Amino acid sequence: MSRIMLKAFLGLLMRVLYRPTVEGTEHIPESGPVILAGNHVTFIDSLFTALVLKRQVFFIGKDEYVTGKGLKGRLMAWFFGSSGMIPVDRDGGHGGVAALMTGRRVLEEGKVFAIYPEGTRSPDGRLYRGRTGVARLALMTGAPVVPFGMIGTDKVQPGGKGMPRISPVTVRFGAPLDFSRYEGMDRDRYVLRAVTDEVMSEVMRLSGQEYVDVYATKARAATAA
């Protein structure tokens, strides 16, 4: 019920304010497990992704978003929980494994799981090298991967901080990618890299971003140095 209320209110508000252009929703299966894999340019990408689709979308978020105290903490926990966020301690030594296993559980329940293969927000608006978690999920679960490109959210919330601005947004979904030919090869690092690169190639085509064959975390660290 809370998800329905939140989606109805926020969905109406965001549609009135941003009038998002949504393309390719026919590529989203009406039932069964689906992996949504897209670019990540700002914090609110997940909200737009969840609000433009009929099916509920689950995604990983930092557990600090739902562990706050007081009224503000409870409101944030309700908001993110209703939005489909599953809290995971990603800063711990096993954060990557926990996120992967969480995604696997969601998919095995026949639901929609959204993932950003870059692993973090782009530091400069370009598309960075994908990490192989998306490939592992696809090969472990057999779920199709629907690539998507988020366009314009970097103008809505530059740097991922501050109050959102009014600016056009486009969410573009591509045709599902089927990797069943690699069944049983989820531990082969060459296969994982090939699958991930194929996904990122489609994301680049849909988003129109310039591609950089470097991990975003390394680029961010180099900028901060």
Side-chain angles (χ1 to χ4, degrees), residues 3-4 7 15 22 25 28-30 49-57 112 173:
R3 171 185 173 267
I4 295 174
K7 187 168 184 177
R15 287 183 184 279
V22 186
T25 54
I28 311 294
E30 294 183 1
T49 304
L51 289 170
V52 300
L53 295 178
K54 293 181 179 179
R55 295 186 64 183
Q56 183 171 13
V57 179
V112 181
F173 298 96

Side-chain angles (χ1 to χ4, degrees), residues 43 60-69 72-78 80 85-92 121 161:
F43 175 78
I60 295 297
K62 293 182 179 179
D63 61 351
E64 64 189 59
Y65 294 148
V66 298
T67 55
K69 298 181 180 180
K72 180 180 179 181
R74 290 195 296 273
L75 286 174
M76 288 184 66
W78 172 81
F80 286 110
M85 192 197 88
I86 301 174
V88 170
D89 181 7
R90 297 186 302 174
D91 295 327
R121 293 194 297 269
K161 299 179 180 179

Side-chain angles (χ1 to χ4, degrees), residues 120 123 128-129 131 213-225:
T120 186
Y128 283 82
R129 193 179 199 215
R131 297 187 177 275
D213 196 23
V214 175
Y215 290 121
T217 49
K218 290 187 176 180
R220 190 183 298 277
T223 302

Side-chain angles (χ1 to χ4, degrees), residues 3 33 37 40 44 50 53 58 62 82 112 118 143 145-146 155 181-182 186 190-191 198 208 214 222:
R3 171 185 173 267
H40 195 19
I44 61 174
L53 295 178
F58 293 90
K62 293 182 179 179
S82 300
V112 181
E118 291 168 278
V145 179
V146 174
K155 303 295 191 302
R181 63 190 182 278
Y182 296 122
D186 58 281
Y190 295 106
V191 169
E198 184 175 340
V214 175

Side-chain angles (χ1 to χ4, degrees), residues 172-194:
R172 186 176 294 147
F173 298 96
L177 302 175
D178 178 15
F179 297 108
S180 59
R181 63 190 182 278
Y182 296 122
E183 183 179 358
M185 304 177 72
D186 58 281
R187 293 184 180 277
D188 187 315
R189 63 189 182 95
Y190 295 106
V191 169
L192 294 175
R193 174 46 53 193

